[in-house]
Amino acid sequence: MTTTVALLGTGIMGSAMARNLLATGHDLRVWNRTRERAEPLGAAGATVADDPADAVRGADVILTVLNDGDAVHAAMTAAAPGLRTGQVWAQMSTVGVAALERLTELADTHGLVLVDAPVQGTRQPAEAGTLVILAGGPRPPALDSVFDAVGSKTLRFDAVGDATRLKLTTVGYGIAMTSVIGEFLALAEGLGVDPADFAAVMTGGPMDSPYLQAKMAAIRGNDYTPSFTVRNAEKDTRLIADAAARAGISVDLTQAAGARFRRAEARGHGDDDMAASYFAGFATDPATRPSA
């Protein structure tokens, strides 16, 4: 049977996931706060809803793919007139521990089956349908085809909250790595070191990785097409720091990365890929870029 899916949030990740759901035959309704960003999905076969309540009415599965916990809570509160007891809600945004507690209460209020299901991956795996889904809590069969459409692997955990805590650790690793790459390419430039020489030392050595190569190429090529934006990365550093404080853990690198992202955002790079934290290493944006 065809699964009817309501997807709330058609940004970088949500739009890519929506297209994979359509490609696999799902009946899809979409909603986005800025309707224009959802309309291309209408041309691809989705029903574009005017408000969250219209999107979720009659859906088997609800997916939230929004920026933060406040946005998810607001959308699902607005959806209340269209909700029914027993609907499956896969919360796929990165919202942090505190926000998830509020969302769990909201799900209980409306009798929803909440699955804590953030994803590991950015634009490219979202477009390819190869996200890694971290799914905590119930395992309703209605989600099987949905997760298969948007991801290549689903890791299951027993409780709501387990997946969110894991996501904070994995996204934190990527954020810290990106900040380090940008910082030391900026240092190379500041010290008069040819970035190509830095790349030559790193390539093929024990510290090399596909991720390092991708972010070096973005910075050296001045290509900040967003896979994961500076603004979203900065938001996640705050979620990680909050969760760490609750656990009595110091996350010095995460907090330093957050400061770098805030400087980059203040200089107009908030919607650029998080590799643009490179610009935080300079008093002003450099007039020239590292040579490719």
Side-chain angles (χ1 to χ4, degrees):
M1 295 179 62
T2 300
T3 301
T4 300
V5 180
L7 188 149
L8 309 183
T10 60
I12 290 174
M13 299 295 286
S15 291
M17 293 162 70
R19 291 187 182 279
N20 285 317
L21 287 165
L22 289 169
T24 49
H26 292 81
D27 176 16
L28 183 65
R29 295 95 174 271
V30 297
W31 170 85
N32 195 68
R33 185 171 59 86
T34 305
R35 183 185 172 95
E36 292 75 30
R37 298 191 68 177
E39 286 177 345
L41 294 169
T47 299
V48 180
D50 290 325
D51 57 54
D54 284 342
V56 305
R57 190 171 286 111
D60 303 304
V61 171
I62 302 165
L63 308 181
T64 46
V65 193
L66 293 155
N67 183 64
D68 56 28
D70 288 342
V72 174
H73 194 278
M76 289 300 289
T77 298
L83 296 174
R84 72 172 189 279
T85 299
Q87 276 178 302
V88 176
W89 172 19
Q91 201 308 102
M92 306 188 80
S93 321
T94 302
V95 299
V97 175
L100 186 61
E101 292 170 355
R102 294 174 59 219
L103 299 177
T104 300
E105 293 174 0
L106 185 64
D108 290 344
T109 297
H110 296 288
L112 304 177
V113 179
L114 176 63
V115 181
D116 172 28
V119 299
Q120 183 71 20
T122 55
R123 178 199 292 265
Q124 291 83 2
E127 291 175 346
T130 57
L131 294 167
V132 176
I133 301 163
L134 315 177
R139 303 184 182 188
L143 276 177
D144 291 347
S145 68
V146 174
F147 286 170
D148 287 346
V150 302
S152 60
K153 178 168 65 175
T154 300
L155 301 179
R156 301 281 187 173
F157 304 92
D158 291 336
V160 168
D162 290 349
T164 282
R165 288 188 287 272
L166 176 58
K167 174 61 189 288
L168 293 178
T169 65
T170 57
V171 75
Y173 178 78
I175 284 170
M177 281 188 65
T178 304
S179 188
V180 166
I181 293 165
E183 179 168 311
F184 286 95
L185 279 174
L187 177 63
E189 183 172 348
L191 296 179
V193 172
D194 187 339
D197 290 337
F198 175 86
V201 171
M202 302 301 290
T203 299
M207 292 182 287
D208 197 6
S209 70
Y211 192 83
L212 169 63
Q213 293 296 329
K215 293 307 180 185
M216 281 200 305
I219 294 169
R220 296 175 63 204
N222 195 33
D223 180 3
Y224 298 100
T225 303
S227 292
F228 188 68
T229 66
V230 165
R231 184 172 289 109
N232 278 335
E234 190 281 327
K235 178 263 296 184
D236 283 356
T237 64
R238 288 183 278 113
L239 298 181
I240 295 163
D242 174 72
R246 289 169 170 242
I249 300 297
S250 296
V251 284
D252 304 312
L253 294 179
T254 297
Q255 291 178 318
R260 290 178 62 83
F261 291 131
R262 285 187 286 276
R263 291 202 302 275
E265 186 173 358
R267 293 173 188 169
H269 297 287
D271 292 324
D272 290 339
D273 186 79
M274 64 175 171
S277 65
Y278 157 80
F279 293 105
F282 302 88
T284 59
D285 277 6
T288 59
R289 301 290 184 264
S291 60

